[in-house]
Amino acid sequence: MPASESIPTLEDIGDVAGKRVLVRTDFNVPLEQHDDGPATIVDDFRIRAALPTIEWLTSRGADVLCASHLGRPMGEPNPKYSMDAVRARLAELAPGVELRE
């Protein structure tokens, strides 16, 4: 069997209507830190790259929950690695999709 036939696709997961789907995303986007306010996203490519999957799921009635992280905080919470800027951008691009760290 060719390798391409063994790789699952979104269609393989079946009916997602009314189901909550966890999507592990790579939203490790570059941020610009500011001394006087929240960080801003320098490049949102990784967020936009996940949109086709998110839109495929939501268009079929799934409740989508994304999970991601920034950096490596070494086990301790660190505001430098906050997903707040990513969460805000995702809300602009995919309303109703949640993001958990």
Side-chain angles (χ1 to χ4, degrees):
M1 174 184 333
S4 63
E5 291 182 28
S6 64
I7 298 172
T9 65
L10 285 171
E11 289 79 10
D12 293 330
I13 65 175
D15 184 16
V16 296
K19 295 181 180 172
R20 187 160 207 184
V21 178
L22 174 67
V23 179
R24 171 57 172 96
T25 52
D26 182 6
F27 289 160
N28 199 9
V29 297
L31 296 174
E32 183 176 329
Q33 300 292 333
H34 303 285
D35 293 334
D36 59 345
T40 55
I41 296 173
V42 175
D43 181 358
D44 69 353
F45 174 78
R46 290 182 180 214
I47 301 169
R48 290 181 290 111
L51 291 179
T53 298
I54 292 168
E55 290 169 354
W56 189 92
L57 291 164
T58 57
S59 71
R60 286 161 176 78
D63 179 23
V64 177
L65 171 67
C66 292
S68 190
H69 68 90
L70 285 174
R72 302 232 180 250
M74 304 304 278
E76 296 292 324
N78 183 332
K80 178 181 176 182
Y81 301 112
S82 170
M83 295 290 291
D84 290 344
V86 176
R87 188 173 288 109
R89 182 64 178 140
L90 181 62
E92 292 172 2
L93 297 172
V97 174
E98 291 183 57
L99 175 61
R100 301 281 172 92
E101 296 183 51

